[in-house]
Amino acid sequence: MPAENARGQAEPALRERSAGPGRARRFPRGGAGRIPPRRWRTKDTARPEGGGRAAPGDAPAPARQWPLLAVVGLVALGLLVTALDAFRAGTLIIGLALLGGAVLRWLLPDVGMLAVRSRFTDIATYGVLGLAIVLLALMIQPDPLLKLPFLKDILHFTLTK
């Protein structure tokens, strides 16, 4: 038989649910007072440092993410230039866009979605990839702008039997 409250009305049956070690909470069973749904939200992963908005919250969405849009726009331009048969110029634009992303991540306190991990990891990743692409663009054959003499020796050593 259900328990009655002070007014003599029947109270809904309660069941216990664990609320941690050694504690139990009581929730009404069924009806309007049913057990609340679990909230599946990650609580241990924080937004990357500097991952806030790059512009005020009342600004339109593109303005809030201008650092990311600048880098992605330059990479898209570099890909377009590369597709139009200016391979060296296109890859230089792509590499410089990534180096620019590293500089933006270093200088600005909030860069929006350009922040992926910690500041150090983002700067190192954008910087190393950008530098590698720029160096490779400068060494593209024919008529490379940058000549490293030891690369020919390495290539000769690895390809000969």
Side-chain angles (χ1 to χ4, degrees), residues 21-76:
R23 298 184 317 184
R25 294 191 315 203
R26 298 178 66 96
F27 292 99
R29 181 180 291 200
R34 62 188 163 91
I35 296 175
R38 287 188 175 191
R39 304 280 188 241
W40 296 103
R41 183 173 174 178
T42 305
K43 295 183 187 223
D44 60 347
T45 304
R47 180 186 301 177
E49 149 196 0
R53 293 180 175 139
D58 57 348
R64 290 192 307 260
Q65 298 299 332
W66 72 266
L68 176 70
L69 292 175
V71 172
V72 170
L74 282 174
V75 168

Side-chain angles (χ1 to χ4, degrees), residues 125-150:
T125 303
Y126 294 139
V128 167
L129 290 175
L131 184 64
I133 291 173
V134 166
L135 289 176
L136 289 171
L138 293 175
M139 291 187 285
I140 291 174
Q141 297 290 335
D143 302 321
L145 300 174
L146 178 65
K147 295 180 182 178
L148 301 176
F150 63 87

Side-chain angles (χ1 to χ4, degrees), residues 61-112:
R64 290 192 307 260
Q65 298 299 332
W66 72 266
L68 176 70
L69 292 175
V71 172
V72 170
L74 282 174
V75 168
L77 177 68
L79 290 172
L80 178 66
V81 170
T82 302
L84 296 175
D85 271 348
F87 190 75
R88 186 185 317 260
T91 52
L92 273 173
I93 292 171
I94 292 170
L96 292 174
L98 289 174
L99 288 174
V103 170
L104 286 174
R105 186 70 173 99
W106 181 33
L107 294 178
L108 298 178
D110 291 321
V111 290

